[in-house]
């Protein structure tokens, strides 16, 4: 089990380190096949927090702090609302929303297209992505729809997305970690250390690939990856509804 978890975290952190996304979705699928939802949420959160945190450290000079501040305020707002209202969605519905979002984003007219460079969009990104993060554990492809049309360089995109994900995963760890502690099923310190070390290894290796890419290639591959993941989410959501 430890070997599977460590290898999975290294591989998915490497993937996320290049594109700033996708690795979390793959890792969550692996974890859900091995353990309960609550434990998967915490372990996924620890691994992704380490991966994103180290990525943010590596490219800290490229972080766009204006975007991070807007996202953090939006994320805090939706967490308070979710806790106050006790809102929940079925996993299938969340998957369908995740899958449809990239396609909806591309069909919007220029005046309505999602872009964190625009006034108020970073806040909206925090509200929507944090809500989905709390409900499904994954918001990478959704988060990317706000970044893919921005004027940022590839390093700015990856570093800023990593920073906002630190906010999301830290909040999720606190929420679901409390549930596990209450049920007397905490995640062991040894496992947490292994996950953090594996995430750092995978993320550090990805830097070599990202530095050799061009901004044009980065955006082209990212756009295709977002749409491909959208198809996967839609198919999975429909399958769960039919089942």
């Amino acid at each position: 089990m430890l070997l599977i978890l460590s290898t999975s975290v290294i591989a998915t952190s490497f993937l996320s380190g290049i594109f700033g996304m996708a690795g979390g979705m793959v890792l969550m699928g692996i974890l859900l096949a091995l353990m309960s939802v609550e434990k998967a949420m915490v372990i996924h959160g620890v691994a992704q927090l380490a991966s994103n945190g180290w990525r943010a450290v590596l490219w800290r000079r490229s972080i766009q702090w204006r975007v991070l501040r807007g996202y953090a305020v939006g994320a805090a707002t939706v967490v308070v609302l979710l806790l106050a209202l006790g809102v929940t969605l079925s996993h299938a519905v969340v998957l369908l929303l995740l899958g449809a979002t990239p396609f909806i984003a591309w069909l919007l007219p220029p005046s309505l297209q999602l872009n964190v460079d625009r006034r108020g969009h970073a806040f909206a990104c925090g509200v929507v992505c944090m809500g989905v993060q709390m409900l499904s554990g994954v918001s990478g492809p959704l988060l990317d729809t706000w970044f893919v049309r921005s004027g940022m360089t590839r390093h700015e995109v990856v570093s800023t997305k990593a920073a906002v994900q630190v906010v999301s995963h830290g909040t999720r760890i606190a929420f679901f970690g409390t549930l596990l502690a209450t049920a007397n099923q905490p995640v062991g310190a040894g496992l947490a250390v292994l996950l953090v070390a594996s995430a750092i290894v995978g993320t550090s290796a990805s830097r070599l690939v990202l530095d050799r890419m061009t901004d044009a290639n980065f955006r082209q591959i990212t756009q295709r990856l977002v749409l491909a993941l959208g198809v996967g989410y839609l198919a999975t959501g429909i399958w769960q509804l039919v089942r």
Side-chain angles (χ1 to χ4, degrees), residues 25 94-96 98-100 138-141 228-238:
M25 176 186 175
V94 173
L95 287 171
L96 289 174
L98 272 173
V138 180
S139 63
L229 289 173
V231 172
Y233 273 124
L234 283 172
T236 305
I238 293 172

Side-chain angles (χ1 to χ4, degrees), residues 20 22 41 83 109 131 139 156 195 199 228:
M41 284 285 194
L83 291 174
S139 63
E156 289 172 342
L195 295 175

Side-chain angles (χ1 to χ4, degrees), residues 1-242:
M1 177 69 77
L2 292 178
L3 179 60
I4 292 174
L5 289 176
S6 179
T7 303
S8 299
V9 171
I10 290 174
T12 55
S13 295
F14 178 80
L15 181 61
S16 291
I18 299 173
F19 300 108
M21 57 168 290
M25 176 186 175
V26 176
L27 181 60
M28 179 57 81
I30 295 171
L31 294 176
L32 287 175
L34 298 173
M35 60 194 67
S36 68
V37 172
E38 292 79 11
K39 201 154 192 174
M41 284 285 194
V42 174
I43 290 179
H44 182 271
V46 171
Q48 289 294 291
L49 179 64
S51 175
N52 284 281
W54 186 242
R55 197 153 66 241
V57 170
L58 289 177
W59 293 289
R60 57 190 176 279
R61 295 180 181 177
S62 299
I63 295 175
Q64 300 297 293
W65 295 100
R66 172 188 58 81
V67 174
L68 177 58
R69 286 192 297 269
Y71 182 95
V73 174
T77 301
V78 77
V79 168
V80 171
L81 288 175
L82 287 174
L83 291 174
L85 300 176
V87 177
T88 58
L89 295 175
S90 72
H91 197 63
V93 172
V94 173
L95 287 171
L96 289 174
L97 291 174
L98 272 173
T101 299
F103 296 97
I104 294 174
W106 286 109
L107 294 175
L108 288 174
S111 60
L112 298 177
Q113 285 176 354
L114 308 176
N115 188 332
V116 290
D117 284 338
R118 295 185 174 182
R119 185 179 180 86
H121 280 217
F123 173 83
C125 180
V127 170
V128 176
C129 291
M130 189 69 243
V132 172
Q133 182 80 249
M134 292 294 287
L135 293 168
S136 71
V138 180
S139 63
L142 182 59
L143 177 66
D144 199 70
T145 60
W146 266 274
F147 280 82
V148 75
R149 284 194 176 89
S150 72
M152 299 181 191
T153 66
R154 65 189 185 282
H155 290 90
E156 289 172 342
V157 169
V158 170
S159 63
T160 306
K161 282 171 64 179
V164 302
Q165 287 286 61
V166 168
V167 174
S168 296
H169 293 303
T171 302
R172 187 156 54 93
I173 290 170
F175 180 81
F176 287 100
T178 301
L179 294 180
L180 285 180
T182 302
N184 198 27
Q185 296 179 350
V187 175
L191 176 58
V193 170
L194 175 65
L195 295 175
V196 170
S198 299
I200 290 175
V201 171
T203 301
S204 298
S206 70
R207 185 173 188 173
L208 299 174
V209 178
L210 183 64
D211 286 342
R212 284 165 174 73
M213 294 178 70
T214 65
D215 286 342
N217 287 337
F218 173 81
R219 293 188 184 282
Q220 184 180 51
I221 296 173
T222 300
Q223 290 172 5
R224 292 176 179 175
L225 187 57
V226 169
L227 295 178
L229 289 173
V231 172
Y233 273 124
L234 283 172
T236 305
I238 293 172
W239 178 77
Q240 288 195 5
L241 284 177
V242 172

